[in-house]
Amino acid sequence: MSKPNILAQLPEELLQDILERLYKSDLTALNVASRWCYQVATPLIWREVELVDCRTVHEEGTDEHDDGGILRKLLLLASKPNLATSVHTLTHRCHLPPPAIFSELPYNTFSAQTLSTDPRTIRLVQHAVAQMTHVHTLRIILGHPSLTDALLRCFFDSNRSSPGSGCNPVRKLWLENCRISAGLNPSLESHLYWLPLKLDFSGLESVRFRRLPMRPASPLDWSRAGIVYARGGRGRELQDGTGGQYVTTLNDFSEESRAGNDHLMWLENRRVYRPPNGEPVSDLGPSPLEALYEHASRWDDIIYSNLPVTADLSLPNDVEELVSLSSYDRAVMAYRGQSLDCGAPNNPGERAYPFPLHRDRLLTRNRAYKTMQRETIPSSTAAVMMLSSASATLTSLTLDWVLNIPPMIGPSIDPKSYMSWTSMYLDLFSCRFPHLRAFQFRNCVVPDTLLLPGFYLLDRSFRAANDIAGVPISMLHNKKDGQASSPDLAGLAFMEAHPKLQCLAWPMNHFFAPGEISPDIAPRIQAVVETLGRTLTDLRIDSLYSGSGEPQSEAFICPDHGARASRRKFVTGFAIKMKKLESIKIEGGMPRDERREVIRALHGSPIKKIVMIGVCSPLGNTWGHEGTDVGQSLVMDSELDGLEAEEKPTVFEIGPTKPQPPPPNFKYNFEYGWEGSAPMLHTIASFHADTIRELKFCGYKGAPVLLSPTPITTPLLAALKHFHNLESVIMSMYLTTLFEGAPRDSDIISYWLNSRTPTSTALVHITDEEPEGWEKELRTKFAPDALAWQITNFVAPFLSETAKKRVGGVHVRASFCIGENGGLFDVDLWVGKGVLGSDVCLGFKGPREEMEDERRRGKLEKRRWF
């Protein structure tokens, strides 16, 4: 009896459990084994679909955003309903690496005008989405703007939510590195691509906005200095996510914006004549918009001509008919407009053309401007309106490093921009979500992501001034269901309205205002905090990253006394009252002693997971004062600034001792300052060793040097042996890349990347003789198996013997930052006990960068609270 026949006899639940464990390549092989195998494997193969573009070289240039692969999948989904109904998770992403957080993200408008613009593509999306009736998760990551609009407007078309549509609602929405102001606009008058005009987001349960523009309206156009990805633009270098750079084609936003103005002028001044038996021709030549889309139009025609069309797999008739559109018509349909997140000017025609205009011509140009302007509301307004539409079902809301600051150009803040920024927060916090369980606002990376100054979650906001940008606070009222509330208590009212939160993320210095709490609201604040003390299991706090690294303490030198006072009020007014917390994440530029005090204040919570992330190693500085203990032979000069020395006598005295738990009657009292302090791990072990399952410490300055650790490393890490229930530890380590006085980062990274490719011929040249010099260095220190061995030897002695004896051992991740642009590479391994009782590596993966396919998918699928 054949194996497929044996499988067919299994109960359905057991069969599904077996098949779901197979890799996609194995399912694809099973799919062609028999008719029965096709029936059981096909739904699993198509359960998750990715729409990803690619890079294609043509004779006349390189198309950095070829949609061929996307179109082939859309064609299959539109033509074969049995495949489309199998799709549960749909992801659209660009094949390029995401923009670097610090150097590229703030300057990327994500408005690429020339990507995925062919009207046939947009219509094909409509056909495919209409067939995908069971999609519950939609992810768009670095999405092409027009394709993003099409997916959002089609999946949330109000007609899909009507009774009898047969469509299940999308329950999870992940939007990252993309524009949302057009795709999420709930009501449009018209759309040149014939996309749905009315949207309904009811049914959404989880929403994540991540690293994208969510700016309020402003009369100042911040975006004209931004960059956009392009088909046919100029080649420029960007960071590749692996420590190096790559070249892709970009335009300046100002160029694409100017094309719309130039087009209006072209319309005004051209004269058209029609040659015999030919198309109308302008005496001024092609429109500026045609020139902008010249490469995109030509390459799209090539892509469509190469689609695998057969008798049972052909383009729908209404898609095929669009081939007759001229390049001019396609350009006009594709153009998204000239303004991003800006208040629409009263007279856009006058704005585009400052010279005097006849009234009729002005009206004509205004109509043309309005037709071209696809984004008619700012992205913050679109986001809030979408969330309001989903309020009845939403359980998780995450705003993860969103770019929310409007342009504030000049010596003082633009009053209208500041008012708009304030209104954005008041609108967001006027929303009510009856079933909300997770609310995360993580904004600690770059200044563009900062929280509104003076806004507090559990205190009176805007206390430092009686007005906002010249407008009295008393005139700013939140209105929800006809009820007006004071704007300075918007955060507190929001928290009172959501008493079932289990997960909360918020900037540490924006829980409480620096001064005394007003007596009239003190009982309300106390009630909210006590409720959270009973419900919160997951807490994440952050502050803006410091440039050179976090100080040990701000006890003597403090750049912002108000922010410090607010952070310390969080410790004594919030953290100490948490009784159910199982996970705490502390990220950003707060001093090390404040991180320690958070851990001490949480003594009453059963903490299972602790995460600390910063520029410097949260565990302590193993390099000495400004690197004196490692020297230039190991660490580059640029990485030594600002490193404060550890108090070596104290560390060597306390570090190796057994941490003592607090007494049963322990009462927390804050102890700021770092002088005489125990190592961070020793403090954590003293308070939480019995319950900890996971530890994560990220920060590369001062981190343990893997290949030649300094003496102080041992007492700083000694307390690890007391975490007997530890299942996973993640730790930044410093990997020395200097050889003969020069860094070899690029060689090492290439070696790692090539080692993952079995067919690669670019690995180290091996001869019959023992390799010498750099080849020997690569093989013995940086080869993946050599690294795993080094990490095992380094970490294993610090781990608890009890933890290592468990089945599967302890998961260890060593995280390295190397490369000219700081690529992050991780080695995952499992440390356990061998047959003879020695420490052994049970298995390893890596080194892998963040965008390595398995790691990328894992982060998407295992992200908490999504």
Side-chain angles (χ1 to χ4, degrees), residues 435-449:
H435 304 288
L436 196 65
R437 296 293 183 273
F439 175 63
Q440 302 186 79
F441 199 106
R442 301 178 58 230
N443 278 30
C444 66
V445 184
V446 293
D448 293 70
T449 69

Side-chain angles (χ1 to χ4, degrees), residues 675-698:
E675 185 177 356
S677 293
M680 180 67 79
L681 263 177
H682 194 280
T683 299
I684 294 175
S686 297
F687 285 85
H688 304 288
D690 291 342
T691 56
I692 287 290
R693 301 290 190 276
E694 298 179 58
L695 291 171
K696 180 176 181 180
F697 304 101
C698 293

Side-chain angles (χ1 to χ4, degrees), residues 373-393:
Q373 188 59 39
R374 194 74 51 81
E375 303 186 22
T376 59
I377 60 175
S379 49
S380 62
T381 302
V384 172
M385 295 175 75
M386 181 271 275
L387 295 174
S388 297
S389 176
S391 61
T393 54

